[in-house]
Amino acid sequence: LPGEETMVQSASDTSVADRLRKVGSAHSSWITTAARLVLGGVLIVAGALKIGAPALSVQAVRAYQLLPEPVVTVVGYGLPVAEIIIGLLLVIGFFTRIAAVAAGLLMLAFVIGIASAWARGLRIDCGCFGGGGELAPGEDPGYLWELLRDFGLVLCAAWIAIKPPGRFAMDSALGLTPPPDREDERSGDGDGAA
């Protein structure tokens, strides 16, 4: 019967679509995991390199000439701690979406700060991984590389915020979000009778 053939074809198409969605979901969760580990790792390393030398961190923040002095000190001391905490949350996948948004805002602030320093003709070390302050004559600040790196990290944060939590995440283990292999059920079309 012609109607029966159409029904079988439709069921077959749905099955293929479901399989493709599951494969896409699996790849998506691995991409999220990689983004979490990269962004979290960068933040942990950046914070760890600065936390032992808070005066240099304050000097790096001051070099941007964007904040009033009392705020410079608070940011200089607080930034390494914030970077480490946000980085750890991303690596373990706990409060993943919140950590990704915080990391994205932090990276966006770095992009704006570096672009501002470049636009104003300042020649400073960004202080992203320790150090900071004015550069010696002839030293290249490498602003373009810094901006590309930080903007790439903003994109990682956006991906994580949209598609949390990825694989091996505490959010999934604690039931705060469905595990990645159930993403297809969460985003399915509601016919889960199969």
Side-chain angles (χ1 to χ4, degrees):
L1 293 166
E4 210 172 282
E5 186 178 301
T6 304
M7 226 185 290
V8 169
Q9 181 64 34
S10 176
S12 173
D13 290 345
T14 302
S15 177
V16 170
D18 286 343
R19 287 184 198 139
L20 288 174
R21 190 174 69 236
K22 286 178 184 177
V23 168
S25 178
H27 289 312
S28 171
S29 67
W30 283 110
I31 292 169
T32 302
T33 303
R36 265 187 25 230
L37 294 176
V38 167
L39 181 55
V42 167
L43 287 170
I44 290 167
V45 169
L49 290 173
K50 288 186 276 212
I51 204 159
L56 288 177
S57 182
V58 171
Q59 175 184 319
V61 173
R62 184 178 292 120
Y64 284 92
Q65 301 174 16
L66 290 172
L67 302 172
E69 191 56 33
V71 177
V72 165
T73 304
V74 170
V75 171
Y77 278 92
L79 184 60
V81 174
E83 288 173 328
I84 292 170
I85 291 170
I86 294 168
L88 287 172
L89 289 173
L90 287 169
V91 167
I92 65 172
F94 191 54
F95 294 120
T96 308
R97 181 169 275 141
I98 295 167
V101 169
L105 292 173
L106 200 56
M107 289 298 146
L108 197 54
F110 295 157
V111 165
I112 291 168
I114 292 167
S116 170
W118 195 4
R120 290 178 291 137
L122 299 177
R123 297 182 45 75
I124 60 173
D125 175 346
C126 77
C128 300
F129 295 96
E134 249 184 81
L135 293 173
E139 278 188 273
D140 178 24
Y143 290 138
L144 180 59
W145 160 248
E146 304 286 345
L147 287 170
L148 291 174
R149 180 200 61 216
D150 289 351
F151 189 72
L153 294 171
V154 168
L155 294 178
C156 282
W159 177 273
I160 300 163
I162 292 168
K163 300 208 171 261
R167 302 279 175 174
F168 312 112
M170 289 297 295
D171 286 345
S172 297
L174 297 173
L176 299 175
T177 60
D181 55 344
R182 290 205 193 154
E183 284 180 16
D184 53 321
E185 293 172 17
R186 182 176 55 184
S187 62
D189 53 7
D191 64 10

